[in-house]
Structures are given as structure tokens and as C-alpha cells.
Amino acid sequence: MKINNTTYEVVIGLEVHAQLLTKTKLFSGDATTYGAEPNTQVSPITLAHPGTLPLLNRKAVEYAIRLGLACGSSITRENYFARKNYFYPDLPKGYQISQHTTPVCTGGSLSVVVEGEHFTIELNRIHLEEDAGKSIHDADAEYTYLDYNRAGVALVEIVTEPCIPSADHAYAFLSELRKLVRYLGVCDGNMEEGSLRCDANISIRPGGDLQLGTKVEVKNLNSIKNVKKAIESETERMCEVVRQGKKIIQETRSFDAVNGTTFALRTKEEANDYRYFADPDISPFIVSEKFLDTIKKQLPELPEEKVNRYRTQMQLSEYDSRILAEEKDFADYFDLLAAEASNNKAAANWMIGPIRSWLNEHQADIQDFPLKPPVIAQLIALIDSGKINFSIASGKLFPALVREPAKRAEQLALELNLFQDSDSDSITRWVNEVLERMPEKVTEFKKGKKGLIGLFVGEVKKISQGKADPKITTDILLQKLQE
């Protein structure tokens, strides 16, 4: 972007809070079910009653390490928790338990693809902390309601380095991160439910400068699209400030998704404003070699590993591979189908084509799809054997199988009279009928317009209601047209 004849660049760092899929909170046995009645998942520990002591959730530590290993982070062996002191009415203790100087995971990276190019986004840290409760301001004209169900829920905060060069790259990073946490089973990634939340730190500087400009933090962005829009809006606002010869103020802002602009909340706190100190009620925790090895062995095949396997072992295109690997359950279904069908490209085509269309039409997930992989494999086998063509299989047999998923594909195709007719006498009659109807086109073909063969095949297909074998049809047409 040009400002007063100087080229400026934006530099972005993201802080992403991911709510871990633990059944209980980070330091208590309170449940974490989403959507429960307000203040029904609380205990004296959540409410910070005097004399209560926190107890660390082992599964939360495991999930944090699982994410760190998937990102190539270093795992901190000796960890402790700190108290981050600030007042929020929805955090009963008056402080938050977090990790400060010993994040459980340090470094690491995540690779993204933007406009066909691979880009690596470096991570600074991944640390554990507890969530705050929820303040509800619009339920009463005079009072704010407080729901402490979420207070104490286990979070990891994923902090990138200030290395993201555009809103598009930030969008790609969040999309990739959401995919990864879902693959790992550590977070459901539902931003609309608040289980994945993002703050964006944004600054601008003259191109080529190494020193970062004054940063502005845009908080509590609740969708990946809004993160992109907020970054674009704030970048434009900051550029306008510089154009006017003013200084950018370090502050915290929020994003109004309705009008697409950011607005100021408060001046930005520094780390020393929080007065961190080690929590005296929580013992340090040690990550043993045995514990770490167990987590490593349980890691699933990651999205990029799936993409590479599809490309190298299954000989699928980059495009097909990335669509298939986008969601873990979808990819798992494809793997089962490919094992049954022994025709990888056909299996990929069915996943990306008819199956994906059905899911979109019904706003369903692959777990809701009524046909098991062996049934789709039967469809592919019927096409490969020449008994039925793809058009009939996808347009007639597939919908019929969805309605009657207990039936075998071949049985239903027979009942519906969908098998291709390979009888040359029947096809010859259809070919003759088509050629008699279209004498002008026959003349054009004989004069050299060979592309008309597709028209003739299509007409035979119509007359036969899709039952004429395309190869035999083409052979008979060519024979007739050369007479």
C-alpha cells in the first residue's frame, strides 16, 4: 500500500484461544457441556470459595502437548502455572490461572497455502490457561447477568510470531489450525460457540523496515471471515492515520461486523500490568519421557500427511487431495472407500462429486450419510465393469440407494432396469433411428465435421434412456457413417 509515496506493509500476529475437549474443567471436576443452563456447571472451586484448591486436569496437558507435537513445537519438561491478575466480573477469583514463563509448547510452525503458494507461519508458543465466564449485557436494561459455566474451562492459547503478511494469510492460518485441532480431537473448532476465538495484533511499517510499528489488538473475533474483514478494516484505518500525519496509538479495539469497522475499547495493557507470579496453590508439573512417548504414538495421520499420501501413493491431483483431506471424518470415509473400490480416482470423484453434493444439499456431515463405503464401491464396480455408466449411476441408482440403503447396488440396478444394453442389434436400431432423423448432420459429418460424433452418441443415449453402451454405440455409429 502506498502512503505519501512510501510503500507500507502490514505485519500481523494472531492469538488464538482453543477450548479443549476435556469433559471437566482445567482445575476442577465441573462439567464442560456446551449450552447447559446458566450456573449449573459450577462448584466451590469454580466460584473461588475460601479454602478451595485447584487440581490440574491431566487430559488437558495431554491435548496441549498433542497440538504442540503436531506443530513441531518443543515441549517444556518443567512447567508451572502463574496468576495473571486483573479484574473481570466473570472470573470469580479476580485473577486467571495461566502459563507465563514456561509455556508447555514453544516454537513450531504451521504451513498454509495461499493462492497456490506454500507459506510457513511461525509459532511463538502454545500455553495452557483457564477460560473466564460469560457476561450477558442485553438480557436486562439495568443489570448484567453472569454465567460462570465457562469459568475454568481448559484452553490453549496459540500465539504466532508477528510474521503474517496479509489478511488472506491470517484467514488461511485459522482455517488450517481449525482443521488441525479437529483432526487431533483436541477442540471442535466451532467459532460460533466460542470454542475457537481469535485476537489479531496488527501493525504497519515502511516496506523493508525490520522494526515493527505500533501494534493495535483487535479482540474477540468470532469467525474466520470476520478475522479477515477486521484485519483489512484496521489496516486501512491505520494507513489513514499515517496519511493524516498522526501517530498510531497502542490500544485494544473490537470489530463491528455489521458496518465492517473497528472501534476503540481501551489502551493496551502491557505484560507487567498483569503482575504475574507463580501460583502457590498449584504444584509444578513435569512432562516425563514416558508420557511424551505415549502421546507421540497416539498422534493420528495429520492433514498434510494425508495430502502427501493421496498425491504420491494414490496418484491423485493436489486439488483432489486437499478437498479430500479437508475434514478428518470425510477423509476417513474416503480411505475406507478407496480400500474397498481399488479405483482411487473413481473413489475420489464420487466423494468430491455426488457424495459432497448430497451433504451440501442436506446440510449434513459425512457421519449422517446413509450409504456405507462398500455400497459406493459396488457402484464403482458396476461402472468399471461396463454394466452401467456414470450418468445413470449418479443420476438414478445413487438416489435410489440413498432411499433404500440396505439394498445392494446390483440388485437395485436390476430392479430399476438400469443396466447398459450391450446388444449390438438393439444399439444398431437406435443408431439407425438417430441417423434417419438427422440427415443434414450426417452430411456435415461426412464432409469433415467429425466433432458431431458426440451429438449422435448423445441422441442414442436419450433414445435408449441411457442404457446403450457408449463404446459400442460409438463403434456402430462410425461404421454406419463410413458406409
Side-chain angles (χ1 to χ4, degrees):
M1 63 206 84
K2 282 278 188 181
I3 306 176
N4 302 330
N5 294 321
T6 301
T7 300
Y8 275 72
E9 63 184 12
V10 63
V11 182
I12 304 157
L14 298 180
E15 300 172 9
V16 185
H17 289 88
Q19 190 178 103
L20 297 177
L21 285 172
T22 55
K23 294 180 180 178
T24 56
K25 296 181 181 180
L26 185 55
F27 297 110
S28 75
D30 299 344
T32 59
T33 306
Y34 178 78
E37 286 295 311
N39 297 309
T40 58
Q41 298 182 159
V42 295
S43 67
I45 294 177
T46 294
L47 297 175
H49 287 189
T52 57
L53 290 173
L55 181 65
L56 179 59
N57 187 325
R58 179 186 178 94
K59 183 61 73 173
V61 176
E62 177 188 325
Y63 284 176
I65 292 173
R66 188 184 297 185
L67 177 58
L69 290 173
C71 294
S73 305
S74 299
I75 307 303
T76 303
R77 301 306 178 90
E78 297 183 10
N79 296 259
Y80 74 88
F81 283 94
R83 291 185 180 182
K84 181 180 180 182
N85 293 274
Y86 61 99
F87 174 73
Y88 272 134
D90 46 15
L91 200 57
K93 292 190 294 290
Y95 60 84
Q96 180 189 40
I97 302 177
S98 181
Q99 289 187 296
H100 183 220
T101 57
T102 62
V104 67
C105 309
T106 58
S109 63
L110 204 57
S111 178
V112 300
V113 178
V114 179
E115 295 182 352
E117 294 188 5
H118 289 262
F119 186 87
T120 298
I121 294 177
E122 302 292 336
L123 303 183
N124 176 278
R125 60 194 280 152
I126 300 171
H127 67 258
L128 281 157
E129 64 184 26
E130 61 179 350
D131 206 348
K134 185 178 181 181
S135 296
I136 303 164
H137 304 293
D138 56 0
D140 189 280
E142 297 183 12
Y143 298 99
T144 291
Y145 291 176
L146 296 174
D147 179 7
Y148 288 125
N149 279 350
R150 200 173 66 186
V153 167
L155 300 176
V156 284
E157 182 174 352
I158 303 104
V159 183
T160 76
E161 295 289 358
C163 63
I164 303 174
S166 76
D168 287 332
H169 287 79
Y171 182 96
F173 173 81
L174 280 173
S175 299
E176 197 65 32
L177 179 62
R178 182 171 62 180
K179 183 199 309 182
L180 180 61
V181 296
R182 286 173 170 173
Y183 258 81
L184 294 170
V186 302
C187 174
D188 61 24
N190 292 331
M191 296 190 79
E192 63 276 8
E193 294 180 1
S195 55
L196 195 69
R197 308 192 294 276
C198 181
D199 303 334
N201 293 296
I202 307 162
S203 64
I204 60 173
R205 65 184 177 188
D209 272 16
L210 297 179
Q211 185 174 350
L212 293 171
T214 301
K215 72 176 180 180
V216 170
E217 183 179 26
V218 183
K219 290 189 74 69
N220 297 325
L221 300 167
N222 60 2
S223 77
I224 296 179
K225 287 183 180 179
N226 280 346
V227 171
K228 182 176 183 293
K229 290 177 181 177
I231 292 172
E232 290 171 341
S233 172
E234 181 57 20
T235 301
E236 182 55 39
R237 186 196 70 84
M238 296 170 83
C239 289
E240 185 57 32
V241 170
V242 175
R243 285 190 194 100
Q244 294 175 9
K246 300 177 182 178
K247 286 189 176 181
I248 295 169
I249 301 171
Q250 182 171 334
E251 60 184 347
T252 299
R253 299 178 72 86
S254 188
F255 178 65
D256 186 332
V258 176
N259 60 32
T261 60
T262 66
F263 58 92
L265 292 175
R266 58 185 180 272
T267 56
K268 174 61 180 171
E269 301 91 343
E270 300 290 349
N272 54 13
D273 292 327
Y274 293 125
R275 305 184 310 282
Y276 286 99
F277 64 87
D279 193 308
D281 291 336
I282 305 174
S283 300
F285 68 92
I286 310 298
V287 177
S288 68
E289 198 67 39
K290 181 180 179 182
F291 186 53
L292 194 57
D293 286 343
T294 300
I295 298 172
K296 287 178 180 178
K297 290 174 183 176
Q298 293 173 347
L299 284 177
E301 184 181 36
L302 300 178
E304 280 302 310
E305 294 171 342
K306 277 193 183 293
V307 170
N308 290 334
R309 175 165 62 85
Y310 294 160
R311 286 177 55 250
T312 58
Q313 295 182 23
M314 295 190 174
Q315 303 299 305
L316 299 176
S317 69
E318 175 90 7
Y319 175 82
D320 286 356
S321 299
R322 292 203 172 276
I323 290 180
L324 291 167
E326 187 63 30
E327 295 179 9
K328 184 177 184 298
D329 291 335
F330 193 78
D332 289 344
Y333 188 103
F334 168 70
D335 286 336
L336 293 172
L337 174 56
E340 291 275 351
S342 68
N343 183 335
N344 298 330
K345 180 57 179 171
N349 289 343
W350 274 93
M351 292 295 300
I352 295 170
I355 293 175
R356 197 162 174 238
S357 295
W358 187 92
L359 296 177
N360 291 337
E361 181 183 344
H362 292 81
Q363 296 182 326
D365 296 322
I366 192 67
Q367 301 97 311
D368 305 316
F369 184 56
L371 301 181
K372 301 299 182 186
V375 178
I376 304 299
Q378 294 166 17
L379 272 174
I380 294 172
L382 288 176
I383 296 169
D384 287 348
S385 66
K387 293 181 179 179
I388 194 171
N389 61 46
F390 178 81
S391 178
I392 292 295
S394 60
K396 294 185 178 180
L397 185 52
F398 176 71
L401 281 168
V402 168
R403 290 190 296 270
E404 300 183 77
K407 289 195 173 180
R408 290 183 56 82
E410 189 164 4
Q411 172 195 355
L412 197 51
L414 190 61
E415 290 176 13
L416 298 174
N417 193 27
L418 298 178
F419 284 125
Q420 288 188 149
D421 196 332
S422 299
D423 178 61
S424 58
D425 290 339
S426 299
I427 296 175
T428 298
R429 286 196 302 273
W430 291 324
V431 166
N432 287 336
E433 184 178 342
V434 167
L435 297 181
E436 287 170 7
R437 284 185 192 173
M438 310 174 76
E440 300 87 354
K441 297 298 182 184
V442 171
T443 302
E444 290 179 28
F445 180 89
K446 291 183 176 181
K447 287 182 178 179
K449 203 169 182 179
K450 304 302 182 185
L452 287 170
I453 191 68
L455 173 65
F456 297 136
V457 172
E459 290 300 313
V460 173
K461 181 180 176 182
K462 288 179 185 177
I463 292 175
S464 66
Q465 296 183 324
K467 294 173 65 177
D469 185 296
K471 186 178 184 309
I472 297 175
T473 299
T474 303
D475 290 342
I476 294 175
L477 273 166
L478 291 173
Q479 180 184 344
K480 291 284 183 182
L481 290 166
Q482 289 169 0
E483 290 178 354

